[in-house]
Amino acid sequence: MSVIDPANVFAIPANRQRARKTTSRKDRLTLTKLQAKRFTELDRLYSQLTPPDTLNKLNGRRDGVLLAIAGVHRTPIGQLLNLLGKTPFFPWTGKNFSARSLIKGSGINRINLTIAKQEWFAFQTTFKPSLIDKRPCIQLNYNLQGNPWFVRQLVDELREVEPGLYLGTTLCKTSKGRIKLLYFAIGE
């Protein structure tokens, strides 16, 4: 006969509990460590990540940095673009997020053209299955009236790397389906 522990009657079985990250401080991924990764390494990392619990965690102004561009990441041009993306001279500086609920929100990109700082290319945010691997992600949909035609073909996806740090990828709709264009990171 087994004895029931009243303190554990409502406990979640161990096989259904969400795994917690138990990484040491030195093993944690930082923006600097993400910037050192190659495109294929970012592919592998993205497939292992999950989105945050709510969109509220993204609320506010998030700084951004380009990490890698598909197709050119191994060429001198790609290396130059990647270097430029990590400097203050790169025009895209991040995104502003505003959650309307725990699962829906909106936002806009921040662009710095040195003579003028602009907010362009609005998006809607929601939790959806990834277009890459069908696992959960936060999807940023640019198919909104007011965005230029070419921007409306884009979808960003985000997953959480560490609290306050997110890995994103940009996909583009083509006649052959969606293609992955680049990786970026956003953080506090």
Side-chain angles (χ1 to χ4, degrees):
M1 177 175 177
S2 63
V3 178
I4 297 175
D5 181 356
N8 289 323
V9 170
F10 298 106
I12 298 170
N15 63 345
R16 292 182 47 203
Q17 292 178 8
R18 187 173 177 189
R20 292 182 185 226
K21 294 179 185 176
T22 54
T23 55
S24 71
R25 192 172 199 101
K26 81 172 189 166
D27 292 334
R28 285 193 174 158
L29 284 171
T30 63
L31 184 56
T32 303
K33 288 180 182 178
L34 285 178
Q35 288 175 311
K37 292 191 176 292
R38 295 174 183 234
F39 199 90
T40 53
E41 293 172 311
L42 294 169
D43 275 338
R44 278 193 301 278
L45 176 62
Y46 185 79
S47 70
Q48 298 167 5
L49 301 174
T50 59
D53 301 342
T54 72
L55 289 180
N56 290 338
K57 290 186 177 179
L58 283 168
N59 265 352
R61 179 184 172 95
R62 299 291 178 156
D63 292 331
V65 64
L66 175 69
L67 297 175
I69 301 170
V72 297
H73 58 284
R74 291 188 178 150
T75 68
I77 292 170
Q79 292 169 354
L80 181 63
L81 287 170
N82 284 340
L83 284 174
L84 178 63
K86 297 167 188 169
T87 70
F89 304 109
F90 193 69
W92 178 71
T93 61
K95 299 176 184 289
N96 296 341
F97 291 89
S98 178
R100 291 190 308 271
S101 72
L102 297 177
I103 59 169
K104 290 195 181 275
S106 61
I108 196 157
N109 285 276
R110 294 193 319 276
I111 311 292
N112 182 0
L113 300 175
T114 63
I115 55 171
K117 294 181 180 182
Q118 300 287 324
E119 292 183 348
W120 282 337
F121 315 133
F123 53 82
Q124 297 294 315
T125 55
T126 190
F127 288 95
K128 284 204 169 185
S130 168
L131 297 169
I132 298 168
D133 61 14
K134 306 295 184 221
R135 293 182 49 244
C137 71
I138 294 176
Q139 194 175 90
L140 286 61
N141 179 6
Y142 290 92
N143 192 9
L144 303 174
Q145 194 168 11
N147 280 340
W149 174 85
F150 64 92
V151 173
R152 294 179 78 162
Q153 309 311 304
L154 302 177
V155 172
D156 288 347
E157 294 184 356
L158 292 175
R159 289 183 175 154
E160 189 174 41
V161 177
E162 297 285 346
L165 179 62
Y166 301 87
L167 178 61
T169 187
T170 299
L171 303 142
C172 182
K173 182 180 174 182
T174 70
S175 60
K176 297 179 181 180
R178 299 266 183 191
I179 59 169
K180 193 182 313 172
L181 297 178
L182 57 87
Y183 277 104
F184 62 92
I186 58 170
E188 297 175 333

